[in-house]
């Protein structure tokens, strides 16, 4: 029987996921024959659903909120970047049946910044707002770019301090939002989940250096609250996470199919859909 290779994204909620469209555009472009679906999977059902998916011949899964930590536990083998981040967004069935877990979020972010927007992180003073799963996935890849310093600021300071201790690096430190007063950064990332619900941490004036840029890891059809804030601060670039979304997907596609799709046309298509 002629079967088609099966891939899927699991998450909860999953209704607005762009991943099926992104992967079908990649498949068209690279002439790969595959099927990619989105499935709502609550946290408690992840293990049984993932097991069933792979037993029925599924080759690869993407996992999104709130499943990245359980996907990390589910994997039989981990990439180094997934091991460090303690979160997995991509699972792949290996030829021997074991499940390999990777985290392509961080590399997706770095590729978007450096290749699509010509921004460098080397020697830059960098701030990440938030200390949850999204932050966990990007700390390692940012530190690999050798910034001058990387500060994690969070509403609950203990969470930021724990992350900083865990990654333990000379250039890395943590603080609460109040301690940001009087500090200045070349690049500010929003990795809190606040922006999508229209919230923003209370940030001091002059936090962004002249010619500095802002990047919201979140992505929406209209400008997120953080993107708007970045523009108000006269950021050189105030970007949302559409490029990161497509780049992390391309990295997963590459892991599964061994072929790297072009991301620019897919980013352009997604941007054209937002009006
Ligand atoms: P994710 O996986 O998207 O990172 P998460 O692990 O639940 O989600 O983390 C959400 C992050 O957004 C946390 O850093 C959270 O701050 P706390 O650790 O203090 O809870 C942050 N966050 C959510 N809503 C926020 C708000 N209104 N203001 C500031 N930070 C907020």
């Amino acid at each position: 029987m002629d079967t088609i290779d099966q891939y899927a994204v699991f998450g909860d909620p999953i209704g607005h996921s762009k991943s099926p469209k992104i992967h079908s555009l990649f498949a068209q472009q690279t002439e790969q024959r595959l099927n990619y679906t989105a499935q709502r999977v609550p946290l408690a059902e992840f293990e049984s659903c993932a097991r069933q998916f792979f037993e029925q011949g599924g080759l690869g899964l993407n996992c999104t909120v709130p499943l990245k930590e359980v996907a990390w536990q589910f994997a039989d083998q981990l990439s180094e970047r997934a091991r460090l981040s303690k979160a997995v967004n991509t699972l792949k069935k290996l030829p021997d049946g074991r499940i390999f877990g990777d985290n392509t979020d961080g590399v997706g972010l770095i590729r978007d910044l450096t290749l699509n927007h010509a921004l460098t992180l080397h020697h830059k003073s960098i701030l990440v707002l938030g200390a949850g799963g999204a932050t966990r996935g990007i700390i390692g890849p940012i530190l690999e770019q050798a910034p001058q310093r990387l500060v994690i600021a969070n509403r609950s300071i203990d969470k930021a301090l724990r992350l900083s201790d865990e990654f333990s690096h000379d250039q890395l430190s943590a603080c609460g939002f109040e301690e940001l007063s009087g500090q200045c950064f070349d690049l500010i990332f929003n990795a809190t989940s606040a922006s999508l619900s229209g919230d923003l941490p209370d940030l001091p004036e002059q936090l962004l250096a002249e010619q500095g840029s802002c990047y919201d890891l979140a992505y929406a059809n209209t400008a997120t609250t953080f993107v708007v804030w970045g523009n108000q601060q006269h950021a050189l670039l105030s970007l949302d996470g559409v490029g990161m979304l497509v780049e992390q997907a391309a990295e997963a596609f590459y892991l599964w199919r061994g072929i790297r799709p072009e991301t620019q046309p897919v980013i352009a298509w997604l941007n054209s859909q937002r009006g």
Side-chain angles (χ1 to χ4, degrees):
M1 192 174 65
D2 182 22
T3 54
I4 185 162
D5 293 348
Q6 298 293 335
Y7 297 86
V9 57
F10 285 2
D12 185 18
I14 200 67
H16 295 102
S17 173
K18 308 277 186 217
S19 294
K21 184 67 193 175
I22 293 172
H23 281 278
S24 88
L25 290 171
F26 286 166
Q28 250 175 41
Q29 185 201 109
T30 57
E31 300 183 339
Q32 298 281 300
R33 197 161 167 267
L34 58 87
N35 187 35
Y36 186 110
T37 57
Q39 223 172 294
R40 190 178 79 85
V41 173
L43 190 57
E45 289 167 31
F46 174 76
E47 197 179 332
S48 60
C49 290
R51 239 170 250 303
Q52 191 183 36
F53 175 81
F54 285 115
E55 275 166 16
Q56 289 177 350
L59 294 181
L61 270 185
N62 281 137
C63 305
T64 184
V65 178
L67 306 174
K68 293 183 186 181
E69 285 80 10
V70 283
W72 183 79
Q73 289 166 338
F74 181 82
D76 300 312
Q77 198 188 327
L78 292 167
S79 67
E80 180 60 9
R81 59 196 183 194
R83 190 183 66 75
L84 282 173
S85 67
K86 293 193 175 155
V88 154
N89 74 337
T90 306
L91 292 168
K92 174 188 176 172
K93 190 175 189 175
L94 297 172
D96 65 6
R98 287 181 312 145
I99 304 299
F100 178 74
D102 196 2
N103 189 326
T104 66
D105 285 333
V107 68
L109 172 68
I110 301 296
R111 287 181 74 90
D112 188 40
L113 287 167
T114 58
L115 301 178
N116 300 337
H117 298 288
L119 285 172
T120 53
L121 288 80
H122 187 60
H123 284 324
K124 295 286 163 62
S125 182
I126 299 176
L127 172 65
V128 176
L129 304 171
T135 299
R136 190 171 265 293
I138 64 169
I139 294 178
I142 292 177
L143 287 172
E144 273 175 20
Q145 300 292 307
Q148 181 199 78
R149 64 170 179 153
L150 171 59
V151 177
I152 306 169
N154 198 43
R155 182 173 58 182
S156 332
I157 184 167
D158 52 316
K159 255 167 89 178
L161 288 169
R162 246 181 286 140
L163 264 190
S164 169
D165 283 351
E166 198 185 310
F167 281 82
S168 170
H169 191 285
D170 286 350
Q171 267 62 50
L172 181 64
S173 62
C175 66
F177 294 135
E178 308 72 36
E179 291 156 74
L180 291 174
S181 194
Q183 300 200 53
C184 186
F185 297 88
D186 302 308
L187 196 47
I188 306 179
F189 293 101
N190 176 42
T192 72
S193 47
S195 188
L196 282 176
S197 49
D199 270 341
L200 195 65
D202 203 5
L203 300 172
E205 294 293 313
Q206 260 124 53
L207 189 62
L208 185 69
E210 221 171 286
Q211 298 292 303
S213 291
C214 291
Y215 195 108
D216 196 340
L217 271 62
Y219 156 70
N221 277 332
T222 51
T224 65
T225 316
F226 184 70
V227 167
V228 171
W229 180 83
N231 285 327
Q232 286 165 351
Q233 308 307 305
H234 310 291
L236 180 66
L237 295 173
S238 189
L239 304 164
D240 74 8
V242 64
M244 176 181 175
L245 177 73
V246 175
E247 294 293 343
Q248 64 76 30
E251 204 65 23
F253 192 92
Y254 178 63
L255 180 75
W256 292 330
R257 309 298 296 186
I259 182 162
R260 195 177 277 286
E262 279 198 43
T263 50
Q264 288 294 347
V266 179
I267 294 171
W269 185 85
L270 283 176
N271 280 331
S272 74
Q273 297 301 299
R274 342 198 217 190

